[in-house]
Short mmCIF file of all heavy atoms in Angstrom, two decimals:
data_model
loop_
_atom_site.label_atom_id
_atom_site.label_comp_id
_atom_site.label_asym_id
_atom_site.label_seq_id
_atom_site.Cartn_x
_atom_site.Cartn_y
_atom_site.Cartn_z
N MET J 1 60.70 38.45 179.79
CA MET J 1 59.23 38.33 179.79
C MET J 1 58.76 37.53 178.58
O MET J 1 58.09 38.03 177.71
CB MET J 1 58.62 39.73 179.77
CG MET J 1 58.94 40.50 181.03
SD MET J 1 57.66 40.29 182.25
CE MET J 1 58.28 41.38 183.52
N ASN J 2 59.22 36.33 178.51
CA ASN J 2 58.81 35.51 177.38
C ASN J 2 57.43 34.90 177.59
O ASN J 2 56.74 34.55 176.65
CB ASN J 2 59.82 34.38 177.17
CG ASN J 2 60.96 34.86 176.28
OD1 ASN J 2 60.83 35.87 175.61
ND2 ASN J 2 62.06 34.14 176.28
N GLU J 3 57.06 34.79 178.83
CA GLU J 3 55.77 34.13 179.10
C GLU J 3 54.62 34.92 178.51
O GLU J 3 53.63 34.36 178.06
CB GLU J 3 55.61 33.99 180.60
CG GLU J 3 56.45 32.83 181.13
CD GLU J 3 56.52 32.88 182.64
OE1 GLU J 3 55.46 32.95 183.24
OE2 GLU J 3 57.63 32.88 183.18
N VAL J 4 54.76 36.21 178.52
CA VAL J 4 53.68 37.02 177.96
C VAL J 4 53.58 36.81 176.47
O VAL J 4 52.51 36.78 175.89
CB VAL J 4 53.93 38.52 178.25
CG1 VAL J 4 52.83 39.36 177.65
CG2 VAL J 4 54.02 38.73 179.75
N ASP J 5 54.74 36.62 175.86
CA ASP J 5 54.77 36.42 174.41
C ASP J 5 54.07 35.14 173.99
O ASP J 5 53.57 35.02 172.90
CB ASP J 5 56.22 36.38 173.95
CG ASP J 5 56.53 37.60 173.08
OD1 ASP J 5 55.83 38.61 173.21
OD2 ASP J 5 57.47 37.51 172.29
N ARG J 6 54.06 34.20 174.88
CA ARG J 6 53.48 32.91 174.52
C ARG J 6 51.96 32.95 174.48
O ARG J 6 51.31 32.06 173.99
CB ARG J 6 53.93 31.86 175.54
CG ARG J 6 55.41 31.51 175.34
CD ARG J 6 55.78 30.34 176.19
NE ARG J 6 54.95 29.18 175.89
CZ ARG J 6 54.92 28.07 176.61
NH1 ARG J 6 55.67 27.98 177.68
NH2 ARG J 6 54.17 27.05 176.30
N MET J 7 51.41 33.99 175.02
CA MET J 7 49.95 34.08 175.03
C MET J 7 49.40 34.28 173.62
O MET J 7 49.96 35.02 172.82
CB MET J 7 49.52 35.25 175.90
CG MET J 7 49.66 34.93 177.38
SD MET J 7 48.96 36.24 178.38
CE MET J 7 47.22 35.99 178.11
N ILE J 8 48.33 33.64 173.35
CA ILE J 8 47.70 33.79 172.03
C ILE J 8 47.04 35.17 171.96
O ILE J 8 46.28 35.54 172.85
CB ILE J 8 46.63 32.70 171.81
CG1 ILE J 8 47.28 31.32 171.94
CG2 ILE J 8 45.99 32.87 170.44
CD1 ILE J 8 46.24 30.22 172.05
N PRO J 9 47.33 35.88 170.92
CA PRO J 9 46.79 37.23 170.78
C PRO J 9 45.29 37.23 170.52
O PRO J 9 44.83 36.92 169.44
CB PRO J 9 47.55 37.80 169.56
CG PRO J 9 48.02 36.61 168.81
CD PRO J 9 48.20 35.50 169.82
N ALA J 10 44.55 37.58 171.56
CA ALA J 10 43.10 37.71 171.44
C ALA J 10 42.49 36.54 170.69
O ALA J 10 41.92 36.69 169.63
CB ALA J 10 42.77 39.01 170.76
N ALA J 11 42.65 35.35 171.25
CA ALA J 11 42.05 34.18 170.61
C ALA J 11 40.54 34.34 170.58
O ALA J 11 39.92 34.54 171.61
CB ALA J 11 42.44 32.93 171.38
N PRO J 12 39.98 34.24 169.40
CA PRO J 12 38.54 34.41 169.28
C PRO J 12 37.78 33.28 169.95
O PRO J 12 38.14 32.12 169.81
CB PRO J 12 38.30 34.39 167.76
CG PRO J 12 39.49 33.71 167.18
CD PRO J 12 40.63 33.95 168.13
N ALA J 13 36.77 33.64 170.68
CA ALA J 13 35.98 32.63 171.38
C ALA J 13 34.54 32.67 170.91
O ALA J 13 34.02 33.73 170.57
CB ALA J 13 36.05 32.87 172.88
N CYS J 14 33.95 31.52 170.89
CA CYS J 14 32.55 31.41 170.48
C CYS J 14 31.68 32.23 171.43
O CYS J 14 31.74 32.05 172.64
CB CYS J 14 32.13 29.94 170.51
SG CYS J 14 30.38 29.72 170.20
N PRO J 15 30.88 33.15 170.89
CA PRO J 15 30.03 34.00 171.73
C PRO J 15 28.93 33.23 172.42
O PRO J 15 28.28 33.73 173.32
CB PRO J 15 29.46 35.02 170.73
CG PRO J 15 29.55 34.37 169.40
CD PRO J 15 30.73 33.42 169.47
N VAL J 16 28.70 32.01 171.98
CA VAL J 16 27.62 31.22 172.56
C VAL J 16 28.11 30.40 173.74
O VAL J 16 27.54 30.43 174.82
CB VAL J 16 27.01 30.28 171.50
CG1 VAL J 16 25.94 29.39 172.13
CG2 VAL J 16 26.40 31.11 170.37
N CYS J 17 29.20 29.66 173.53
CA CYS J 17 29.65 28.77 174.59
C CYS J 17 31.06 29.12 175.07
O CYS J 17 31.51 28.62 176.09
CB CYS J 17 29.62 27.32 174.11
SG CYS J 17 30.84 26.98 172.86
N GLY J 18 31.77 29.98 174.33
CA GLY J 18 33.08 30.42 174.79
C GLY J 18 34.22 29.52 174.35
O GLY J 18 35.37 29.76 174.70
N LYS J 19 33.93 28.53 173.55
CA LYS J 19 35.00 27.65 173.06
C LYS J 19 35.75 28.33 171.91
O LYS J 19 35.25 29.29 171.32
CB LYS J 19 34.37 26.35 172.55
CG LYS J 19 33.98 25.42 173.67
CD LYS J 19 33.46 24.13 173.07
CE LYS J 19 32.87 23.24 174.16
NZ LYS J 19 32.21 22.06 173.58
N PRO J 20 36.92 27.82 171.62
CA PRO J 20 37.70 28.38 170.50
C PRO J 20 36.91 28.33 169.21
O PRO J 20 36.20 27.37 168.94
CB PRO J 20 38.93 27.47 170.42
CG PRO J 20 39.05 26.89 171.79
CD PRO J 20 37.66 26.78 172.35
N VAL J 21 37.03 29.37 168.42
CA VAL J 21 36.26 29.48 167.18
C VAL J 21 36.83 28.59 166.10
O VAL J 21 38.04 28.50 165.92
CB VAL J 21 36.25 30.94 166.71
CG1 VAL J 21 35.72 31.04 165.29
CG2 VAL J 21 35.41 31.79 167.65
N ASP J 22 35.95 27.95 165.38
CA ASP J 22 36.36 27.15 164.24
C ASP J 22 36.23 28.02 162.99
O ASP J 22 35.18 28.58 162.73
CB ASP J 22 35.45 25.93 164.11
CG ASP J 22 35.97 24.97 163.06
OD1 ASP J 22 36.40 25.46 161.98
OD2 ASP J 22 35.96 23.77 163.29
N PRO J 23 37.32 28.14 162.24
CA PRO J 23 37.31 28.99 161.04
C PRO J 23 36.16 28.65 160.10
O PRO J 23 35.66 29.50 159.38
CB PRO J 23 38.66 28.69 160.38
CG PRO J 23 39.53 28.21 161.47
CD PRO J 23 38.63 27.52 162.48
N ALA J 24 35.74 27.41 160.13
CA ALA J 24 34.67 26.98 159.23
C ALA J 24 33.32 27.52 159.69
O ALA J 24 32.39 27.61 158.90
CB ALA J 24 34.62 25.47 159.17
N TYR J 25 33.24 27.88 160.95
CA TYR J 25 31.95 28.33 161.48
C TYR J 25 32.07 29.69 162.12
O TYR J 25 31.30 30.03 163.01
CB TYR J 25 31.43 27.32 162.50
CG TYR J 25 31.19 25.97 161.91
CD1 TYR J 25 32.05 24.92 162.19
CD2 TYR J 25 30.12 25.76 161.06
CE1 TYR J 25 31.84 23.67 161.64
CE2 TYR J 25 29.91 24.52 160.50
CZ TYR J 25 30.77 23.47 160.80
OH TYR J 25 30.56 22.25 160.24
N LYS J 26 33.08 30.44 161.71
CA LYS J 26 33.26 31.77 162.26
C LYS J 26 31.94 32.52 162.33
O LYS J 26 31.18 32.48 161.39
CB LYS J 26 34.25 32.53 161.38
CG LYS J 26 35.50 32.75 162.13
CD LYS J 26 36.57 33.53 161.44
CE LYS J 26 36.36 34.09 160.10
NZ LYS J 26 37.50 34.76 159.56
N PRO J 27 31.69 33.29 163.35
CA PRO J 27 32.54 33.45 164.54
C PRO J 27 32.17 32.46 165.65
O PRO J 27 32.33 32.76 166.82
CB PRO J 27 32.23 34.88 164.96
CG PRO J 27 30.77 35.05 164.61
CD PRO J 27 30.51 34.14 163.42
N PHE J 28 31.67 31.30 165.26
CA PHE J 28 31.26 30.32 166.26
C PHE J 28 32.20 29.12 166.25
O PHE J 28 33.06 29.01 165.38
CB PHE J 28 29.83 29.88 166.00
CG PHE J 28 28.88 31.05 165.91
CD1 PHE J 28 28.47 31.52 164.68
CD2 PHE J 28 28.43 31.70 167.04
CE1 PHE J 28 27.61 32.60 164.57
CE2 PHE J 28 27.58 32.78 166.95
CZ PHE J 28 27.17 33.23 165.73
N CYS J 29 31.99 28.24 167.21
CA CYS J 29 32.88 27.09 167.31
C CYS J 29 32.32 25.90 166.56
O CYS J 29 33.02 24.96 166.25
CB CYS J 29 33.10 26.73 168.77
SG CYS J 29 31.63 25.98 169.51
N SER J 30 31.04 25.96 166.26
CA SER J 30 30.42 24.86 165.57
C SER J 30 29.12 25.32 164.94
O SER J 30 28.62 26.39 165.23
CB SER J 30 30.13 23.72 166.55
OG SER J 30 29.18 24.16 167.50
N ARG J 31 28.59 24.47 164.09
CA ARG J 31 27.35 24.84 163.42
C ARG J 31 26.22 24.93 164.43
O ARG J 31 25.28 25.67 164.27
CB ARG J 31 27.01 23.76 162.40
CG ARG J 31 26.20 24.39 161.28
CD ARG J 31 25.52 23.34 160.43
NE ARG J 31 24.19 23.81 160.11
CZ ARG J 31 23.22 23.00 159.71
NH1 ARG J 31 23.44 21.72 159.65
NH2 ARG J 31 22.05 23.47 159.41
N ARG J 32 26.34 24.14 165.46
CA ARG J 32 25.29 24.14 166.48
C ARG J 32 25.21 25.50 167.16
O ARG J 32 24.14 26.06 167.36
CB ARG J 32 25.62 23.07 167.52
CG ARG J 32 24.37 22.71 168.26
CD ARG J 32 24.62 21.47 169.13
NE ARG J 32 23.63 21.47 170.18
CZ ARG J 32 23.89 21.14 171.44
NH1 ARG J 32 25.10 20.78 171.77
NH2 ARG J 32 22.95 21.14 172.33
N CYS J 33 26.35 26.02 167.53
CA CYS J 33 26.36 27.33 168.19
C CYS J 33 25.90 28.40 167.23
O CYS J 33 25.19 29.32 167.62
CB CYS J 33 27.76 27.62 168.71
SG CYS J 33 28.09 26.80 170.28
N ALA J 34 26.27 28.29 165.98
CA ALA J 34 25.81 29.25 164.99
C ALA J 34 24.30 29.21 164.91
O ALA J 34 23.64 30.24 164.78
CB ALA J 34 26.43 28.94 163.64
N ASP J 35 23.76 28.01 164.98
CA ASP J 35 22.32 27.84 164.93
C ASP J 35 21.66 28.46 166.16
O ASP J 35 20.64 29.13 166.06
CB ASP J 35 22.01 26.35 164.87
CG ASP J 35 21.30 26.01 163.58
OD1 ASP J 35 21.74 26.51 162.53
OD2 ASP J 35 20.32 25.25 163.63
N ILE J 36 22.25 28.21 167.29
CA ILE J 36 21.71 28.74 168.54
C ILE J 36 21.65 30.26 168.49
O ILE J 36 20.65 30.87 168.83
CB ILE J 36 22.57 28.27 169.73
CG1 ILE J 36 22.40 26.77 169.93
CG2 ILE J 36 22.16 29.03 171.00
CD1 ILE J 36 23.37 26.21 170.96
N ASP J 37 22.74 30.82 168.05
CA ASP J 37 22.81 32.28 168.00
C ASP J 37 21.80 32.81 166.99
O ASP J 37 21.11 33.80 167.24
CB ASP J 37 24.21 32.71 167.61
CG ASP J 37 24.35 34.21 167.71
OD1 ASP J 37 24.50 34.70 168.84
OD2 ASP J 37 24.29 34.89 166.68
N LEU J 38 21.70 32.12 165.88
CA LEU J 38 20.76 32.54 164.84
C LEU J 38 19.34 32.51 165.40
O LEU J 38 18.55 33.42 165.18
CB LEU J 38 20.88 31.62 163.63
CG LEU J 38 19.93 31.99 162.48
CD1 LEU J 38 20.32 33.33 161.87
CD2 LEU J 38 19.95 30.92 161.42
N ASN J 39 19.04 31.47 166.12
CA ASN J 39 17.71 31.34 166.70
C ASN J 39 17.44 32.46 167.69
O ASN J 39 16.35 33.03 167.72
CB ASN J 39 17.58 29.99 167.39
CG ASN J 39 17.06 28.95 166.43
OD1 ASN J 39 16.09 29.19 165.72
ND2 ASN J 39 17.69 27.80 166.39
N ARG J 40 18.43 32.76 168.48
CA ARG J 40 18.27 33.85 169.45
C ARG J 40 17.98 35.14 168.70
O ARG J 40 17.11 35.91 169.07
CB ARG J 40 19.57 34.02 170.23
CG ARG J 40 19.70 33.00 171.33
CD ARG J 40 20.92 33.37 172.14
NE ARG J 40 21.30 32.29 173.04
CZ ARG J 40 22.49 32.24 173.63
NH1 ARG J 40 23.38 33.16 173.34
NH2 ARG J 40 22.77 31.29 174.45
N TRP J 41 18.77 35.33 167.69
CA TRP J 41 18.65 36.57 166.91
C TRP J 41 17.27 36.65 166.28
O TRP J 41 16.60 37.67 166.35
CB TRP J 41 19.73 36.56 165.85
CG TRP J 41 19.90 37.89 165.21
CD1 TRP J 41 20.62 38.94 165.70
CD2 TRP J 41 19.35 38.33 163.98
NE1 TRP J 41 20.54 39.99 164.83
CE2 TRP J 41 19.77 39.65 163.77
CE3 TRP J 41 18.53 37.72 163.02
CZ2 TRP J 41 19.41 40.37 162.64
CZ3 TRP J 41 18.18 38.45 161.89
CH2 TRP J 41 18.61 39.76 161.72
N LEU J 42 16.87 35.55 165.67
CA LEU J 42 15.58 35.55 164.99
C LEU J 42 14.44 35.78 165.96
O LEU J 42 13.55 36.58 165.72
CB LEU J 42 15.38 34.21 164.26
CG LEU J 42 16.23 34.07 163.00
CD1 LEU J 42 16.01 32.69 162.40
CD2 LEU J 42 15.88 35.12 161.98
N SER J 43 14.47 35.08 167.06
CA SER J 43 13.39 35.21 168.03
C SER J 43 13.36 36.60 168.65
O SER J 43 12.38 37.03 169.21
CB SER J 43 13.53 34.14 169.11
OG SER J 43 14.79 34.27 169.71
N GLY J 44 14.48 37.28 168.54
CA GLY J 44 14.53 38.62 169.11
C GLY J 44 14.04 39.66 168.14
O GLY J 44 13.57 40.71 168.54
N VAL J 45 14.16 39.36 166.87
CA VAL J 45 13.78 40.34 165.86
C VAL J 45 12.42 40.02 165.27
O VAL J 45 11.55 40.86 165.18
CB VAL J 45 14.83 40.37 164.73
CG1 VAL J 45 14.39 41.34 163.64
CG2 VAL J 45 16.17 40.78 165.31
N TYR J 46 12.26 38.77 164.89
CA TYR J 46 11.00 38.38 164.29
C TYR J 46 10.16 37.61 165.31
O TYR J 46 10.68 36.86 166.12
CB TYR J 46 11.23 37.49 163.08
CG TYR J 46 12.10 38.14 162.05
CD1 TYR J 46 13.41 37.75 161.87
CD2 TYR J 46 11.58 39.15 161.25
CE1 TYR J 46 14.20 38.34 160.92
CE2 TYR J 46 12.37 39.75 160.29
CZ TYR J 46 13.68 39.33 160.13
OH TYR J 46 14.46 39.92 159.19
N ALA J 47 8.87 37.80 165.23
CA ALA J 47 7.99 37.07 166.14
C ALA J 47 7.63 35.72 165.53
O ALA J 47 7.43 34.74 166.20
CB ALA J 47 6.72 37.87 166.40
N ILE J 48 7.59 35.71 164.19
CA ILE J 48 7.22 34.48 163.50
C ILE J 48 8.46 33.82 162.91
O ILE J 48 9.24 34.47 162.22
CB ILE J 48 6.22 34.77 162.37
CG1 ILE J 48 5.05 35.57 162.93
CG2 ILE J 48 5.76 33.47 161.74
CD1 ILE J 48 4.22 36.22 161.84
N PRO J 49 8.66 32.57 163.21
CA PRO J 49 9.83 31.85 162.67
C PRO J 49 9.66 31.53 161.20
O PRO J 49 8.95 30.62 160.82
CB PRO J 49 9.87 30.56 163.50
CG PRO J 49 8.48 30.39 164.02
CD PRO J 49 7.85 31.76 164.10
N ALA J 50 10.31 32.29 160.37
CA ALA J 50 10.24 32.03 158.94
C ALA J 50 11.40 31.13 158.54
O ALA J 50 12.53 31.38 158.90
CB ALA J 50 10.32 33.34 158.18
N LYS J 51 11.11 30.10 157.81
CA LYS J 51 12.19 29.15 157.50
C LYS J 51 12.50 29.08 156.01
O LYS J 51 13.59 29.35 155.58
CB LYS J 51 11.77 27.76 157.99
CG LYS J 51 12.19 27.54 159.41
CD LYS J 51 13.40 26.61 159.44
CE LYS J 51 14.11 26.71 160.79
NZ LYS J 51 15.08 25.67 160.95
N ASP J 52 11.52 28.69 155.24
CA ASP J 52 11.81 28.42 153.83
C ASP J 52 12.00 29.68 153.01
O ASP J 52 12.97 29.82 152.30
CB ASP J 52 10.65 27.60 153.24
CG ASP J 52 10.85 26.13 153.55
OD1 ASP J 52 11.94 25.63 153.27
OD2 ASP J 52 9.94 25.49 154.09
N GLU J 53 11.06 30.57 153.14
CA GLU J 53 11.11 31.73 152.26
C GLU J 53 12.06 32.79 152.79
O GLU J 53 12.15 33.04 153.97
CB GLU J 53 9.71 32.31 152.12
CG GLU J 53 8.84 31.43 151.24
CD GLU J 53 7.45 32.01 151.10
OE1 GLU J 53 7.33 33.12 150.59
OE2 GLU J 53 6.51 31.34 151.56
N GLU J 54 12.73 33.40 151.86
CA GLU J 54 13.63 34.48 152.26
C GLU J 54 13.38 35.70 151.39
O GLU J 54 14.26 36.21 150.72
CB GLU J 54 15.08 34.02 152.13
CG GLU J 54 15.50 33.22 153.35
CD GLU J 54 16.98 32.97 153.33
OE1 GLU J 54 17.72 33.74 152.72
OE2 GLU J 54 17.39 31.98 153.93
N ASP J 55 12.16 36.10 151.40
CA ASP J 55 11.80 37.26 150.59
C ASP J 55 12.13 38.54 151.32
O ASP J 55 11.47 38.93 152.27
CB ASP J 55 10.30 37.22 150.28
CG ASP J 55 10.05 36.46 148.99
OD1 ASP J 55 10.95 36.46 148.14
OD2 ASP J 55 8.97 35.90 148.85
N GLU J 56 13.15 39.18 150.87
CA GLU J 56 13.54 40.41 151.56
C GLU J 56 12.64 41.57 151.12
O GLU J 56 12.36 42.47 151.87
CB GLU J 56 14.99 40.72 151.23
CG GLU J 56 15.91 39.80 152.01
CD GLU J 56 17.35 40.18 151.77
OE1 GLU J 56 17.59 41.29 151.31
OE2 GLU J 56 18.22 39.35 152.03
N ASP J 57 12.24 41.49 149.90
CA ASP J 57 11.41 42.58 149.38
C ASP J 57 9.97 42.12 149.16
O ASP J 57 9.25 42.68 148.38
CB ASP J 57 11.99 43.08 148.06
CG ASP J 57 13.00 44.18 148.30
OD1 ASP J 57 13.27 44.47 149.48
OD2 ASP J 57 13.51 44.73 147.37
N GLY J 58 9.61 41.09 149.85
CA GLY J 58 8.28 40.53 149.61
C GLY J 58 7.16 41.32 150.25
O GLY J 58 6.03 41.29 149.78
N GLU J 59 7.46 42.02 151.31
CA GLU J 59 6.38 42.70 152.01
C GLU J 59 6.43 44.20 151.81
O GLU J 59 6.19 44.97 152.72
CB GLU J 59 6.47 42.38 153.50
CG GLU J 59 5.84 41.03 153.82
CD GLU J 59 5.79 40.81 155.30
OE1 GLU J 59 5.24 41.65 156.00
OE2 GLU J 59 6.36 39.81 155.76
N ARG J 60 6.76 44.58 150.63
CA ARG J 60 6.83 46.03 150.39
C ARG J 60 5.47 46.61 150.05
O ARG J 60 4.83 46.14 149.12
CB ARG J 60 7.80 46.31 149.26
CG ARG J 60 9.07 46.75 149.93
CD ARG J 60 10.16 47.32 149.08
NE ARG J 60 9.88 48.31 148.13
CZ ARG J 60 10.60 48.41 147.00
NH1 ARG J 60 11.53 47.55 146.77
NH2 ARG J 60 10.40 49.35 146.16
N PRO J 61 5.04 47.55 150.82
CA PRO J 61 3.76 48.20 150.51
C PRO J 61 3.86 49.01 149.23
O PRO J 61 4.85 49.69 148.99
CB PRO J 61 3.53 49.13 151.71
CG PRO J 61 4.87 49.35 152.31
CD PRO J 61 5.69 48.12 151.99
N ALA J 62 2.83 48.89 148.42
CA ALA J 62 2.85 49.59 147.14
C ALA J 62 2.73 51.09 147.37
O ALA J 62 1.65 51.65 147.41
CB ALA J 62 1.73 49.09 146.26
N GLU J 63 3.85 51.71 147.50
CA GLU J 63 3.82 53.14 147.77
C GLU J 63 3.62 53.92 146.48
O GLU J 63 4.16 53.57 145.44
CB GLU J 63 5.13 53.58 148.43
CG GLU J 63 5.05 53.46 149.94
CD GLU J 63 6.35 53.90 150.56
OE1 GLU J 63 6.71 55.06 150.44
OE2 GLU J 63 7.01 53.04 151.17
N GLY J 64 2.89 54.98 146.57
CA GLY J 64 2.69 55.84 145.41
C GLY J 64 1.84 55.16 144.34
O GLY J 64 1.86 55.56 143.20
N GLU J 65 1.15 54.12 144.75
CA GLU J 65 0.32 53.46 143.75
C GLU J 65 -1.16 53.69 144.04
O GLU J 65 -2.01 52.97 143.56
CB GLU J 65 0.63 51.98 143.72
CG GLU J 65 0.97 51.54 142.31
CD GLU J 65 1.05 50.03 142.20
OE1 GLU J 65 -0.01 49.42 142.12
OE2 GLU J 65 2.17 49.49 142.25
N ALA J 66 -1.41 54.64 144.90
CA ALA J 66 -2.79 54.92 145.25
C ALA J 66 -3.44 55.77 144.17
O ALA J 66 -3.24 56.96 144.08
CB ALA J 66 -2.83 55.65 146.58
N GLY J 67 -4.19 55.10 143.35
CA GLY J 67 -4.85 55.83 142.25
C GLY J 67 -6.09 56.56 142.73
O GLY J 67 -7.19 56.07 142.63
N ASP J 68 -5.88 57.74 143.21
CA ASP J 68 -7.04 58.46 143.75
C ASP J 68 -7.74 59.25 142.67
O ASP J 68 -7.23 60.15 142.13
CB ASP J 68 -6.60 59.39 144.90
CG ASP J 68 -7.46 59.09 146.13
OD1 ASP J 68 -8.59 58.60 145.94
OD2 ASP J 68 -6.97 59.32 147.24
ZN1 LIG R 1 30.22 27.43 170.69
#
């Protein structure tokens, strides 16, 4: 049963187009697919496409700062 041995063990495939993954763009096959997936992800999570700013803590409500 050598033929089975010749099979590539779980060759990673691009989740976007199914092509072989390029180590440089893991887990995608190209930057384009990485971009596509990123766009899908963003449009699914965020309603507004944010590009330049990456403020992770920018929208924190001032908790416990209510001077009553
Ligand atoms: Zn791809």
Side-chain angles (χ1 to χ4, degrees):
M1 295 268 183
N2 274 343
E3 283 168 52
V4 179
D5 247 23
R6 287 189 57 190
M7 284 187 73
I8 302 167
C14 174
V16 176
C17 69
K19 283 184 188 173
V21 168
D22 188 318
Y25 299 107
K26 249 182 2 182
F28 306 100
C29 72
S30 64
R31 207 195 140 200
R32 200 170 158 220
C33 279
D35 242 44
I36 291 172
D37 187 78
L38 180 67
N39 270 313
R40 280 187 193 164
W41 193 82
L42 286 177
S43 57
V45 177
Y46 303 106
I48 308 165
K51 271 255 162 168
D52 276 308
E53 286 180 62
E54 278 190 25
D55 270 332
E56 285 184 18
D57 271 4
E59 278 187 55
R60 260 190 48 211
E63 271 180 64
E65 234 190 79
D68 233 334

